[in-house]
Amino acid sequence: IFPVEDKVFLMCQDVEPLTRFYVGLLLRTGMRPGEGALLQWRDWSVTIGQITLDETKSRTPRAFFVSDDIAATFEAMRP
């Protein structure tokens, strides 16, 4: 997907905001869809802006640092 296509998708009002965030997160981190679907709040570290996945398809833990805008969105979504 090209950046201009990503921008158009993220601005699309016909798609639920949570779905737009999920797709954007996968695109920006390289996370697999199954990994993203299994995310839990304990996987998110607000202090360092990192998502840590202990269980992965390859059975090798992975970690992703996220940009400030994604971190802010995560915090806004926290219950």
Side-chain angles (χ1 to χ4, degrees):
I1 187 165
F2 293 102
V4 68
E5 296 168 326
D6 178 49
K7 185 176 180 179
V8 169
F9 177 75
L10 291 177
M11 294 176 63
C12 181
Q13 297 300 314
D14 296 334
V15 180
E16 293 288 324
L18 188 58
T19 301
R20 291 193 312 249
F21 175 75
Y22 175 71
V23 171
L25 178 67
L26 297 182
L27 289 171
R28 284 159 180 76
T29 61
M31 196 181 307
R32 296 177 180 102
E35 293 170 340
L38 296 175
L39 279 178
Q40 298 182 16
W41 285 111
R42 68 175 183 220
D43 300 327
W44 167 242
S45 172
V46 66
T47 55
I48 59 174
Q50 181 179 11
I51 299 169
T52 304
L53 304 175
D54 292 328
E55 296 181 27
T56 64
K57 179 180 170 182
S58 64
R59 294 191 168 94
T60 302
R62 296 171 30 155
F64 309 93
F65 286 101
V66 298
S67 61
D68 291 342
D69 58 337
I70 292 176
T73 304
F74 260 124
E75 284 307 301
M77 292 170 43
R78 187 184 292 270

